[in-house]
Amino acid sequence: MHPNADSETHPETADSSAPQRVHEAELEFAVKRTAPKTDGPIDMDTRLATDERTRVMLSVRRTSRGVDNRWEVDPDTQDQILAEHAWLNDDSASHSRRDQLTGGWTIYAPKRDERPNEFASLRSMQATPFRQGEAQVGCPFCAGSEGQTPEALWTGRLGDLTAFHTDQGSDRFARPAISICYGEQPDWDVRVVPNKFPAVTSIDGASQNRTEPTTDVLFPSAPVVGGHEVIIESSGHAENMASFDPALVYLTLVAYRERIRHWASVDGIRYISVFKNCGPEAGASLHHSHSQLIATSLLPQAARVTMARCESHRARVGSSLGCDLLRAECSQRSRVIAKTDSFVAYCPFASRFAGMIRLTSMSHQPRFESFDDGTLDRLASMLTRVIYWVNQAFPGKAYNYLLHTCPPSSAQPEAFQWWLDIFPRLNKAAGFEWSSDCMINSMLPEVAAANYRRIARRDDPRRVLAFG
């Protein structure tokens, strides 16, 4: 079992009934307080260190003696820092640190800075034209460039359409047949490979990880291990899933399911995130359409809070919070865009981002990875339409989608309902959002839903609600 980085589920609260203990603690702190070293003038801004130590710690800052050392760290000082913290020398190791003020964890992954950025290198160049679906020279994700990535963990290949015999005596076409291989296979259509620049240390090499969890009350840290994979969604060059045939989206969803199932079975994995960044504003660094999966031993604070809210709701009313919200949305209808017998797409009542669409199933399902092939085929049809609406409503805009499935660490999975959020990147978070973690959304979800319904009705009027 790997270290549990989330040992403090509930933060401490002040004990207002013990003012005497507080006073005694203050007296004890005053006695034990370590006086600042006096090998130089005390820095009058920080009042914590001498001018010289401040110059080393905050190299960009001009000290009171006028030393201007902008990001130039003295080699001797750097060697000293590395000697004191030997694990910093292992640039393959990720670790997490907790901010005790907010309770949030931050993952430090030094290798992430080494990944290529096609968008940055092409800013001053004219974009190279390509033919949709054909291999692009120099693209590491196109068929024929498999040597530029680690060996595949999973590949899928589309076959012919399957058909079944109906009661009326006719044959009806169904989803395409697929060929799955846990490794390389020729003529692949979807390929999953380890990320060359992972955000977390591979759980396979965790025993060699020199980072140890700290018990420091103020500076807690812990290793973060797991897996980071890239799902290449097409063998031919394509930059947006909006151009995909639904069969290819279906195979991509099958890849999600299989890889989530794998990581959910690995001991020590507490959280799995599947996400897609399309466009540089959404965080993508390569043009070729792809998504990513990160499985970690760390349960992020946001996921922990969501799980606690779902479990509390179920304990109070006996039903899933996600399902109750969906029933209410379907009852109000003003934010629902379209629905089928299996799935519904709507703009949530409290959308964090302008134009955000939530996609989930009409029936209760905590785990995305529990869906069978037929259900994933129907979900692929819906997801293809949702991406089309976003591209029609906001042409050329980058977008993200985030798949939320019940974390493996959940003790009450029945309290959870899976969902997928997709949102165009129309605005950037600014000072207030960063300082408060409270988003400002200039587009009412009712307005966004009405616009999406107009596009959806034009696309396929059979599946759009007759209002709005």
Side-chain angles (χ1 to χ4, degrees), residues 188-201:
W188 57 271
D189 290 297
V190 173
R191 185 168 178 258
V192 181
V193 298
N195 195 309
K196 290 177 69 175
F197 311 96
V200 296
T201 302

Side-chain angles (χ1 to χ4, degrees), residues 201-256:
T201 302
S202 170
I203 200 168
D204 297 332
S207 58
Q208 287 78 42
N209 185 8
R210 287 176 288 179
T211 309
E212 297 295 334
T214 68
T215 56
D216 192 309
V217 174
L218 295 179
F219 302 130
S221 68
V224 54
V225 297
H228 189 170
E229 301 177 350
V230 177
I231 298 94
I232 303 170
E233 299 158 349
S234 169
S235 57
H237 199 75
E239 298 186 356
N240 194 333
M241 194 178 260
S243 63
F244 282 11
D245 185 278
L248 205 50
V249 178
Y250 162 59
L251 190 56
T252 300
L253 296 181
V254 172
Y256 292 171

